[in-house]
Amino acid sequence: MTDSHGHGHGHADGPLTPVEEHLAEILATVTPLAPTELSLGEVHGLVLAEDVSTAGQLPSFDNSGMDGYAVRVDDVAAATEDSPVTLPVTGEVAAGDTGAYALQPGTAIKIMTGAMLPHGAEAVVPVEWTDGGSARVTIRASTGYGNAVRLAGEDAKAGEVLVTAGTLLKPMHIAVIAAAGRGSVLVRPRPRVVVLSTGNELAEPGSPVVPGRIWDSNSFMLAAAVREAGCLAYRRVALPDHPDEVLPAIEDQLVRADLMITTGGVSMGGEHDVVKAALQRLGTITFRKVAMQPGMPQGFGTVALPPAKAPEEPQRRRFRRGDGYEEAAAPVPAAGERVPIFTLPGNPVSAYVSFQLFARPALGAMQGYDGLALEKIQAQLTGPLRSPAGRRSFLRGVLDRASGVVEPLTGQGSHQIATLGKANALVVVPEWVVQMAEGDTVEVLVLP
Ligand code: AMP
Ligand code: MG
């Protein structure tokens, strides 16, 4: 793609890597976490790691679909409103009764919804068509074979796969798994993601304003985005720009991480770029310029705990979420186990866009889930826009799905976070396009 439009390589900013190429390398590196068996009460929102089938057929026995009377069709064939048929009621069977009932010709058995159909019964006459009698019942209408009867196997055949591996478990899936009789299933644990920001200028939100300082928005934003992607987030208070602080902090956090995300400290050539310096000692990371705006400086790779600091065997740990609830998570990485790491640029909009484009699909892949890529739709621009040559722009916009239009917002600088708060979509402007007009059709990524 870069060669075809002539902007990719040899750009004034140096050689640029196409967006797809960067993402492909990321997805080639991350692997799904080992599945774990969890009870049904704990799997909501997790990704199923096995095909779940029903051992037996569903329903497993013929049963009544209504409250009424189990009968033989011939015994009520003559019944009408004007000339009802009266039958003796020989028993009553409720949902959950396990005894075997048999219907004798010329009689009826009172039956409740979900109750096992008596042997010999051919249909259920709803109670509404009768006088509701207990010893005898008067029936005012005839009925056909199988009326109000749920046949064994009409919902699912024995061995039928009901929920497939890779499904993000929602309430309906959990219902189906339970109905198939499974008390626990194999799921992918939520990846534990450590978010760590760097910068001497960063202060905790809530602290007093100090000239020259800004409040750390990235780490809070990324932790939230991580959770939105189905993962557990652990946010580290911002680190100063000093290698002696950054390296030990990364090493420390590695024991709890399936994946790490840093922001700041990776711009091209800055001498305060401590993340880059620290990581050069700890892992294999490619720092590159990606042909996009915002978010050009990207770093991705893997880091490993030095052997002295790693447990010899992988350890299974519980991970405490922000709300105090503990869940099973993947084992702590053992010595030499490599943890994927994203080093995102510091500008908040760059960090945000980079997360959505690169980290979010990677977190999906770790969960064995392919549904995390941003939804892509077409829309008409409500106004003109400009975009640099050779880079794919992701411009903040307001999408109106109902009318199919998208408004590109003003204030598209990578530091202009106010605009981020107004956007619900990213307008994608291809590398070879430098301007677009009102009414043009654009590709839009819907923000989660
Ligand atoms: P850097 O990538 O460290 O060179 O930072 C680029 C820009 O992003 C600078 O203006 C930083 O102040 C800003 N920045 C870096 N980290 C954060 C953060 N965690 N929250 C908000 N802004 C940040
Ligand atoms: Mg910085």
Side-chain angles (χ1 to χ4, degrees):
M1 171 181 285
T2 45
D3 291 333
S4 64
H5 62 78
H7 285 297
H9 297 280
H11 186 273
D13 290 314
L16 302 183
T17 305
V19 172
E20 279 79 12
E21 192 176 314
H22 187 58
L23 179 60
E25 285 181 25
I26 291 164
L27 294 179
T29 301
V30 297
T31 48
L33 297 180
T36 179
E37 180 101 11
L38 285 185
S39 70
L40 214 45
E42 296 183 85
V43 300
H44 177 220
L46 299 178
V47 179
L48 190 61
E50 60 169 324
D51 286 344
V52 172
S53 51
T54 171
Q57 56 186 349
L58 295 179
S60 61
F61 53 91
D62 295 345
N63 66 92
S64 178
M66 298 184 87
D67 291 344
Y69 295 84
V71 296
R72 291 178 190 245
V73 167
D74 285 350
D75 292 337
V76 295
T80 63
E81 195 72 38
D82 296 334
S83 153
V85 166
T86 298
L87 299 175
V89 177
T90 63
E92 183 172 324
V93 51
D97 286 356
T98 54
Y101 290 78
L103 181 75
Q104 301 307 322
T107 70
I109 291 179
K110 195 164 193 181
I111 191 165
M112 305 305 156
T113 307
M116 206 188 316
L117 202 68
H119 186 75
E122 294 167 346
V124 171
V125 173
V127 70
E128 291 84 351
W129 303 356
T130 74
D131 65 353
S134 297
R136 303 168 68 77
V137 61
T138 298
I139 297 170
R140 297 190 301 271
S142 62
T143 189
Y145 288 91
N147 184 68
V149 171
R150 304 157 168 173
L151 291 175
E154 74 174 27
D155 194 3
K157 306 273 163 281
E160 193 176 324
V161 173
L162 300 179
V163 190
T164 53
T167 301
L168 180 68
L169 293 174
K170 296 186 178 185
M172 60 278 217
H173 306 121
I174 291 169
V176 171
I177 294 168
R182 290 285 302 270
S184 62
V185 281
L186 269 187
V187 290
R188 306 276 172 195
R190 292 187 190 278
R192 298 156 307 165
V193 181
V194 168
V195 174
L196 191 152
S197 57
T198 65
N200 287 337
E201 74 278 30
L202 300 178
E204 279 285 286
S207 65
V209 65
V210 175
R213 295 279 178 103
I214 60 169
W215 289 291
D216 171 13
S217 51
N218 287 355
S219 62
F220 287 96
M221 175 265 288
L222 289 169
V226 159
R227 293 189 186 107
E228 202 166 55
C231 305
L232 301 173
Y234 183 84
R235 175 191 162 268
R236 171 71 165 79
V237 171
L239 292 163
D241 286 317
H242 198 291
D244 291 351
E245 303 253 13
V246 174
L247 188 57
I250 292 177
E251 285 182 1
D252 259 19
Q253 298 302 329
L254 259 178
V255 298
R256 72 173 94 228
D258 298 309
L259 184 138
M260 288 191 93
I261 302 177
T262 67
T263 72
V266 292
S267 54
M268 301 288 163
E271 51 189 73
H272 299 290
D273 292 340
V274 291
V275 169
K276 220 166 164 178
L279 288 177
Q280 243 122 29
R281 288 186 254 161
L282 206 58
T284 317
I285 301 177
T286 307
F287 296 98
R288 55 164 53 135
K289 295 173 184 176
V290 176
M292 63 190 282
Q293 176 166 292
M296 186 172 66
Q298 293 289 335
F300 176 77
T302 57
V303 280
L305 272 182
K309 299 188 179 173
E312 274 173 21
E313 294 287 320
Q315 297 176 3
R316 192 162 282 280
R317 288 210 189 158
R318 309 287 288 186
F319 187 90
R320 187 172 287 279
R321 267 194 337 203
D323 55 10
Y325 173 72
E326 287 184 49
E327 301 195 21
V332 169
E337 248 184 85
R338 309 202 68 84
V339 174
I341 184 167
F342 285 89
T343 65
L344 303 183
N347 270 313
V349 180
S350 311
Y352 178 83
V353 170
S354 309
F355 177 91
Q356 301 301 354
L357 292 182
F358 303 125
R360 197 174 144 92
L363 294 176
M366 290 181 90
Q367 298 171 76
Y369 182 53
D370 61 9
L372 284 189
L374 301 187
E375 186 190 356
K376 216 181 267 186
I377 63 171
Q378 307 275 310
Q380 252 83 51
L381 283 174
T382 62
L385 56 77
R386 304 188 136 275
S387 170
R391 292 207 263 161
R392 189 178 305 177
S393 286
F394 298 92
L395 301 171
R396 280 147 280 164
V398 179
L399 172 70
D400 179 351
R401 293 190 78 133
S403 53
V405 299
V406 63
E407 173 200 351
L409 291 164
T410 51
Q412 293 282 350
S414 305
H415 63 291
Q416 289 181 297
I417 198 163
T419 316
L420 188 59
K422 295 175 184 138
N424 64 359
L426 297 174
V427 176
V428 184
V429 187
E431 291 80 342
W432 57 91
V433 175
V434 294
Q435 61 182 35
M436 298 188 89
E438 179 184 340
D440 283 355
T441 298
V442 279
E443 186 180 286
V444 172
L445 297 174
V446 181
L447 294 175

